[in-house]
Amino acid sequence: MRQTCALVLSSLLLAPAVMADAESHRAAAERFLKLANAEEMTAPVYRQAEQVLAARFAQMGGSMQYESILREYRERAKVMLDAQLSWKAMRDEMIELYLPVFSEQEFDELAVFYQSPAGSKLMKHLPELTRASMGIARRRVEQVIAPQLEQLVVEMAAEVEARQTGSAAGRE
């Protein structure tokens, strides 16, 4: 009984410390995500939605005299996107995504980096570097890998057909 009481008492005493650690870990994650401009990561989706609406408006024969309709639908799209993609809507999920990956200390170290001149420069250029990197990979896939994979499929089909033909001939 005495051990049970001691265990319960120690659990009650340690619980606030564990809660404080979890809260400060979450706070460190949120600080890092803000420094990493996570709030801005959905901006391309907003721009794309506006472009789609403008293009569809033009296809429908929309002219400047009906521009108020386009503005109204752009605003409705923004409200719809905000409900799902704003920082406020995504913050908790984003924090939960990063929490198991980085410790509080690592978040603090990342924050120091992102506040440095090199970190600021990285954040400024990272979107364009990421796009360009994906472009390099996409070109290689389209120009080199896709034709090579297609050749492998042709060779595989020929081998399967040869074995099927050989098996069929052996049964006759």
Side-chain angles (χ1 to χ4, degrees):
M1 180 69 173
R2 195 178 294 183
Q3 287 177 335
T4 304
C5 287
L7 183 61
V8 169
L9 184 58
S10 65
S11 296
L12 291 173
L13 293 173
L14 291 175
V18 170
M19 294 289 282
D21 283 349
E23 287 177 26
S24 69
H25 190 200
R26 283 186 72 77
E30 185 169 1
R31 270 191 314 276
F32 161 72
L33 287 167
K34 285 184 178 183
L35 286 170
N37 293 326
E39 295 174 347
E40 302 299 320
M41 72 177 190
T42 58
V45 177
Y46 283 74
R47 285 191 296 275
Q48 186 177 14
E50 282 196 14
Q51 290 170 350
V52 166
L53 286 173
R56 296 299 300 268
F57 180 75
Q59 287 174 350
M60 293 174 200
S63 64
M64 293 307 283
Q65 76 186 67
Y66 302 118
E67 190 176 359
S68 63
I69 294 171
L70 177 59
R71 276 194 307 273
E72 175 190 337
Y73 279 85
R74 279 183 172 160
E75 183 57 33
R76 288 174 62 182
K78 184 184 179 312
V79 169
M80 179 183 70
L81 291 169
D82 282 348
Q84 296 299 317
L85 300 178
S86 70
W87 174 248
K88 182 180 176 183
M90 294 177 49
R91 187 186 86 215
D92 290 338
E93 285 181 80
M94 294 296 292
I95 291 170
E96 290 299 324
L97 177 67
Y98 281 76
L99 280 176
V101 178
F102 299 104
S103 69
E104 184 174 349
Q105 180 182 345
E106 290 169 326
F107 281 127
D108 292 340
E109 291 169 6
L110 286 167
V112 168
F113 170 71
Y114 279 105
Q115 290 172 323
S116 73
S120 295
K121 186 174 184 177
L122 174 66
M123 289 314 301
K124 178 181 177 187
H125 295 286
L126 191 58
E128 65 196 56
L129 292 169
T130 301
R131 273 193 302 278
S133 298
M134 294 303 293
I136 291 168
R138 185 177 53 250
R139 278 193 305 280
R140 286 176 175 251
V141 166
E142 291 169 355
Q143 295 172 359
V144 179
I145 295 173
Q148 290 175 347
L149 280 174
E150 186 57 36
Q151 181 59 38
L152 284 176
V153 169
V154 167
E155 291 172 19
M156 181 175 65
E159 187 171 336
V160 167
E161 184 179 337
R163 288 190 184 182
Q164 288 174 340
T165 305
S167 296
R171 282 189 246 149
E172 291 176 11

